[in-house]
Amino acid sequence: MAASDPHQVADPEAVKRHPALFRAIRKRQNPKLRRTDITITDDQAVKRAVKAASLGNAMEWFDFGIYSYLAGTLGHVFFPSGNDTTQLLSSFATFAVAFLVRPLGGMFFGPMGDKVGRKKVLALTMIMMAIGTFAIGLIPSHQSIGIWAAVLLIFFRMLQGFSTGGEYGGASTFIAEYAPDKRRGFFGSFLEFGTLAGYVGAAGLVTLLYALLSDAQMDSWGWRIPFLVAGPLGLVGLYLRLRLDETPAFQKLEGGTAHATEAADSVETTAKGDLAKIFRDYWPTLILCICLVGAYNITDYMLLSYMPTYLSDELGYSETHGLLILLAVMVFLMLIINQIGKLSDRFGRKPLLMTGMLGFLIFSLPAFLLIRQGSIPAITIGMLLLGLSLVCMLGTMSAALPALFPTNVRYGSLSVGYNLSASLFGGTTPLVITALISVSGTNLMPAYYAMAAALVGVIAVACMKETANKPLAGSPPSVETTAEAEELVASQTPDPKF
């Protein structure tokens, strides 16, 4: 029968002859929501979930950020060559190694998160990251064990990268599936608040060590302190994550406590973490995700990871000065990021993301010309121009990306797409920029690289669908109050005609 396929148009004559039958078919294809289909969020549970995911994310990025801010010192300790540029390139190459294994981590942990649940996998990634970071703090120097020092550093960097492969996709999925539809942007922004907090903690600790210790002390033992702090922090994050319940959307998918009828089903009912299915059925969305994340990651790592090295190596600033300016910018971004999340709930994800992409496209060159002048006010204004563009993406992306994929493959698809892109474009950013500056001889290369990334981002944002204030694909609507649920049900029933 033609009408049984929703993509085909029924024969008008058949509809006239059998109106009751076709009404029944339409109801079957588009059943009305009942009150029991709609998830009413528990405000306290949402806040607990957001806190645990964000704090865990902060600890992950504290661990990851340490390496970026100690790149120069780690180059001396593990790659002694006598040439500063070679040392720095070797150090950033080791930074990039962690990103090479991130897609493998995403392919491993993502489908696992769709099979066994978000909570268990997020606890596992937390343990692995803490072990990897703590172990780096214990590695003997090149002077003590020679080439094996670099080998061990690369191994534990790969362990860090593998665990991070399951982190962002899981944490953003966790918050997105807990949050009510109309406030997903606000709650999602706390994830990137955690990212900034992790970077601020790492930059703050490294700045303090550079200020208090001499270069010889930093090279000898001072660099180990931030890595060793990661062990106890990881245990705190693990404790917080283990105390959480599984997300309502995943419970519904598994036939758990949150039941729903066909109207809420869209109509997937089993969680199959199937990589082949992800690549086969969702490849257009995966490509969109990779483009969005690539543009976002290049600009993110350029500003939050690479900038202190740029200020010290290219402009001759001390490590402390560069880190202090970046710290001030990041604290400012932390103060406004949740307001950006609220704006994305009010005006939509696309306008905010487009503002951020266009900001980098238009302001990257002026910002780096200001930074190159070398005075503290000029550097601060330049970095603020970049920071304000970045925060439009930071405050929006963690709500926009999970909404690209349906519930049954969300964790897996997002982990694969995010980490493929992060591997190709994010972690390689410091290495590529350092190499481009060396080859071209101009220290404006970071601006040109960011502009190219932003251009890709503008096209990707133009192609994506608006998802603000809508239910996640494959999940029932999620609201904050019973009155809101009843209003949603009532809105499906047309007013009677007299």
Side-chain angles (χ1 to χ4, degrees):
M1 185 182 294
S4 64
D5 183 351
H7 299 291
Q8 292 181 8
V9 179
D11 178 6
E13 293 301 318
V15 174
K16 284 181 185 177
R17 287 197 301 271
H18 308 285
L21 173 62
F22 279 91
R23 271 199 304 273
I25 289 171
R26 280 195 299 273
K27 283 184 180 179
R28 175 68 179 168
Q29 289 174 346
N30 303 292
K32 290 180 181 177
L33 283 166
R34 294 203 297 262
R35 163 61 192 81
T36 50
D37 298 330
I38 299 167
T39 301
I40 298 177
T41 59
D42 176 345
D43 190 51
Q44 290 307 309
V46 173
K47 287 177 180 174
R48 279 198 307 274
V50 170
K51 187 190 300 180
S54 302
L55 280 173
N57 204 49
M59 288 162 196
E60 288 261 351
W61 292 106
F62 171 83
D63 294 357
F64 224 75
I66 290 166
Y67 191 95
S68 311
Y69 302 135
L70 286 170
T73 299
L74 292 173
H76 300 153
V77 174
F78 291 101
F79 307 102
S81 71
N83 183 302
D84 286 347
T85 303
T86 304
Q87 284 182 340
L88 192 62
L89 281 169
S90 300
S91 186
F92 277 140
T94 310
F95 178 78
V97 158
F99 285 82
L100 294 179
V101 296
R102 272 182 69 166
L104 300 178
M107 291 177 192
F108 178 78
F109 289 117
M112 186 191 292
D114 287 327
K115 284 179 180 175
V116 304
R118 286 64 166 123
K119 170 186 163 178
K120 293 174 186 173
V121 176
L122 282 172
L124 182 57
T125 61
M126 187 90 257
I127 295 169
M128 289 180 67
M129 175 57 96
I131 290 171
T133 310
F134 187 76
I136 289 174
L138 300 176
I139 300 173
S141 68
H142 184 278
Q143 194 174 355
S144 302
I145 60 170
I147 191 68
W148 288 105
V151 170
L152 286 171
L153 177 65
I154 289 168
F155 173 77
F156 289 117
R157 282 292 295 161
M158 289 172 75
L159 183 64
Q160 280 186 319
F162 192 74
S163 74
T164 307
E167 174 61 26
Y168 184 89
S172 57
T173 292
F174 202 82
I175 292 178
E177 291 182 351
Y178 254 107
D181 296 334
K182 290 185 178 178
R183 298 184 73 196
R184 189 168 292 118
F186 171 66
F187 285 119
S189 67
F190 279 94
L191 187 67
E192 296 296 358
F193 179 90
T195 300
L196 287 170
Y199 274 127
V200 165
L205 181 53
V206 171
T207 304
L208 187 64
L209 289 170
Y210 275 131
L212 295 177
L213 303 177
S214 66
D215 287 348
Q217 288 173 316
M218 278 299 292
D219 288 356
S220 175
W221 54 268
W223 67 270
R224 298 183 186 275
I225 294 171
F227 290 101
L228 297 177
V229 167
L233 283 179
L235 292 176
V236 173
L238 180 62
Y239 170 74
L240 287 169
R241 287 187 170 179
L242 288 175
R243 291 182 64 222
L244 291 172
D245 293 325
E246 193 50 83
T247 69
F250 185 80
Q251 288 184 32
K252 181 257 161 187
L253 199 66
E254 288 296 280
T257 55
H259 296 290
T261 62
E262 291 169 333
D265 264 340
S266 286
V267 158
E268 303 277 4
T269 53
T270 57
K272 289 185 180 177
D274 185 351
L275 273 177
K277 180 180 179 180
I278 289 170
F279 283 107
R280 183 180 65 246
D281 296 347
Y282 299 99
W283 64 266
T285 317
L286 268 180
I287 291 172
L288 178 64
C289 178
I290 287 168
C291 291
L292 285 169
V293 173
Y296 156 60
N297 264 345
I298 285 172
T299 51
D300 183 302
Y301 284 102
M302 183 193 71
L303 181 61
L304 302 186
S305 293
Y306 173 72
M307 194 56 76
T309 304
Y310 178 79
L311 291 173
S312 60
D313 277 51
E314 302 303 328
L315 303 183
Y317 255 67
S318 74
E319 283 92 343
T320 310
H321 276 137
L323 279 169
L324 281 172
I325 295 170
L326 181 61
L327 263 172
V329 171
M330 288 195 293
V331 169
F332 174 68
L333 298 187
M334 287 174 71
L335 294 175
I336 63 172
I337 192 167
N338 298 133
Q339 300 308 312
I340 299 294
K342 281 184 180 178
L343 287 175
S344 81
D345 285 328
R346 184 175 178 186
F347 297 110
R349 316 290 185 232
K350 291 183 69 167
L352 270 294
L353 290 174
M354 189 62 83
T355 300
M357 299 294 182
L358 288 173
F360 272 104
L361 191 61
I362 296 165
F363 295 120
S364 287
L365 196 55
F368 272 91
L369 288 170
L370 280 168
I371 290 167
R372 203 166 66 163
Q373 285 186 21
S375 68
I376 288 178
I379 291 174
T380 305
I381 293 168
M383 286 175 69
L384 273 175
L385 282 173
L386 298 173
L388 288 170
S389 301
L390 180 63
V391 81
C392 291
M393 293 188 267
L394 281 174
T396 310
M397 203 66 84
S398 48
L401 293 176
L404 293 175
F405 301 100
T407 303
N408 65 311
V409 293
R410 181 170 298 122
Y411 196 156
S413 301
L414 184 51
S415 293
V416 169
Y418 188 93
N419 289 296
L420 275 173
S421 191
S423 173
L424 292 169
F425 307 112
T428 58
T429 296
L431 180 66
V432 170
I433 291 175
T434 304
L436 287 174
I437 291 172
S438 179
V439 169
S440 68
T442 172
N443 53 19
L444 287 176
M445 282 311 300
Y448 300 135
Y449 196 50
M451 289 165 71
L455 183 60
V456 173
V458 166
I459 296 167
V461 174
C463 293
M464 69 181 279
K465 293 178 183 175
E466 183 57 74
T467 56
N469 299 309
K470 296 175 182 176
L472 291 169
S475 292
S478 180
V479 298
E480 291 185 273
T481 64
T482 304
E484 206 178 332
E486 289 169 353
E487 185 182 330
L488 194 59
V489 172
S491 68
Q492 299 179 107
T493 307
D495 294 331
K497 295 178 182 177
F498 297 102

